[in-house]
């Protein structure tokens, strides 16, 4: 059960986690956004470890991540839960800070966090929340989506969130944060190829940690048909668009640059 005391030590360290499988195209913009978020004034004096889990990559994902200044953990699992967990273990070892003063923030390689994303999570931690479960926005859609699919998705997603903005039903690994203490207490991400984020939040709920579900700081994510996790967000979009089975096609065009 979570300790709700107001005298918890302030967060002094951040582990920022990005799992990636063949993400050379989209990873640079994700890392760009994370570097911007890490430069927020609210993070002054906070130690930060940015780790990319390069999971069974056949492209330049690992090299791009290292060039951008991220630590890289190479795994060969093709499993989002295993990749996230491996990156978190690496980051926590590298930081070496007490669990009670360490926060874990996870996003995805095809997503772009807003400039205040990390500051927002730290602010919620300071208010006593053990975890922050955020929402996503989709701003770039492939032309191959049927007419109306974007409208249906946006309407359905926002309708579900608007029923209770502070207790929305969505869970995304692209916009998730929690204390290292809570993460360890529930056993971390389970070794699932997809749905690892939902399973982790369910563990937190069962353990009665304080979980904030908020629409306040959404993350921009990809609407590509050919997602990396089976049964993940792209599969949901395909179902909404009536595309079965998965359609393999190029990712939507995005302007990105390599981080140096």
């Amino acid at each position: 059960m979570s300790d709700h005391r107001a005298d918890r030590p302030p967060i002094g360290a951040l582990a920022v986690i990005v799992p990636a499988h063949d993400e050379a195209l989209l990873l640079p913009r994700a890392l760009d956004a994370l570097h911007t978020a890490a430069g927020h004034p609210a993070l002054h004096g906070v130690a930060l470890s940015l780790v990319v889990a390069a999971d069974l990559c056949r492209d330049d994902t690992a090299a791009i991540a290292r060039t951008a200044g991220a630590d890289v953990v190479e795994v060969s699992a093709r499993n989002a839960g295993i990749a996230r967990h491996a990156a978190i273990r690496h980051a926590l070892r590298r930081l070496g800070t007490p669990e009670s003063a360490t926060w874990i923030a996870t996003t995805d390689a095809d997503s772009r966090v807003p400039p205040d994303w990390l500051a927002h999570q730290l602010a919620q931690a300071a208010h006593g929340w053990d975890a922050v479960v955020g929402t996503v926005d989709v701003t770039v859609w492939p032309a191959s989506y049927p007419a109306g699919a974007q409208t249906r998705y946006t309407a359905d997603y926002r309708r579900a969130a608007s029923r209770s903005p502070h207790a929305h039903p969505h869970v995304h690994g692209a916009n998730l944060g929690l204390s290292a203490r809570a993460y360890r207490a529930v056993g971390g991400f389970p070794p699932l190829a997809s749905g690892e984020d939902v399973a982790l939040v369910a563990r937190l709920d069962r353990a009665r940690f304080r979980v904030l579900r908020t629409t306040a700081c959404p993350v921009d994510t990809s609407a590509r048909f050919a997602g990396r996790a089976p049964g993940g967000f792209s599969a949901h979009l395909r179902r909404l668009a009536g595309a079965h089975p998965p359609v393999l096609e190029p990712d939507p065009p995005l302007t990105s640059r390599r981080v140096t």
Side-chain angles (χ1 to χ4, degrees):
M1 181 182 295
S2 176
D3 180 358
H4 298 177
R5 294 177 302 174
D7 61 349
R8 296 185 202 175
I11 297 299
L14 266 168
V16 183
I17 306 303
V18 185
H21 169 69
D22 290 347
E23 293 285 9
L25 176 63
L26 299 183
L27 183 61
R29 74 164 196 158
L31 296 178
D32 252 349
L34 286 169
H35 283 306
T36 298
H40 193 284
L43 272 67
H44 180 71
V46 176
L48 187 145
S49 177
L50 171 59
V51 182
V52 172
D55 186 5
L56 203 62
C57 293
R58 301 157 296 181
D59 62 6
D60 293 332
T61 292
I64 288 170
R66 291 189 178 100
T67 299
D71 279 2
V72 174
V73 173
E74 297 196 48
V75 296
S76 300
R78 194 65 174 90
N79 183 292
I82 290 174
R84 288 191 205 273
H85 186 65
I88 288 169
R89 290 184 61 188
H90 176 88
L92 295 182
R93 285 197 301 266
R94 187 174 186 277
L95 288 166
T97 48
E99 290 178 348
S100 58
T102 305
W103 188 263
I104 300 164
T106 81
T107 189
D108 287 338
D110 68 337
S111 300
R112 182 167 48 192
V113 304
D116 61 342
W117 185 63
L118 293 173
H120 166 74
Q121 293 205 17
L122 292 191
Q124 306 316 313
H127 283 106
W129 294 101
D130 297 304
V132 178
V133 180
T135 54
V136 298
D137 284 337
V138 178
T139 57
V140 179
W141 292 80
S144 54
Y145 271 88
Q150 177 180 353
T151 302
R152 287 194 301 275
Y153 162 77
T154 302
D156 290 348
Y157 191 94
R158 290 181 178 172
R159 186 181 303 111
S162 66
R163 290 171 188 151
S164 182
H166 299 293
H168 64 82
H170 308 297
V171 178
H172 304 283
N175 191 358
L176 181 62
L178 72 163
S179 72
R181 183 177 66 90
Y183 185 79
R184 179 193 58 78
V186 300
F189 280 106
L192 300 175
S194 64
E196 79 291 347
D197 42 8
V198 175
L200 175 64
V201 173
R203 290 178 175 184
L204 293 169
D205 285 334
R206 287 194 298 269
R208 299 182 64 186
F209 281 98
R210 295 191 71 209
V211 177
L212 173 66
R213 291 166 172 81
T214 176
T215 61
C217 197
V219 167
D220 180 35
T221 197
S222 165
R224 59 189 177 188
F225 262 38
R228 299 301 186 261
F233 186 65
S234 63
H236 167 68
L237 294 180
R238 288 195 304 271
R239 287 192 296 271
L240 187 65
H244 300 285
V247 176
L248 300 179
E249 60 175 32
D251 295 327
L254 292 168
T255 301
S256 63
R257 65 179 179 86
R258 179 172 293 210
V259 184
T260 57

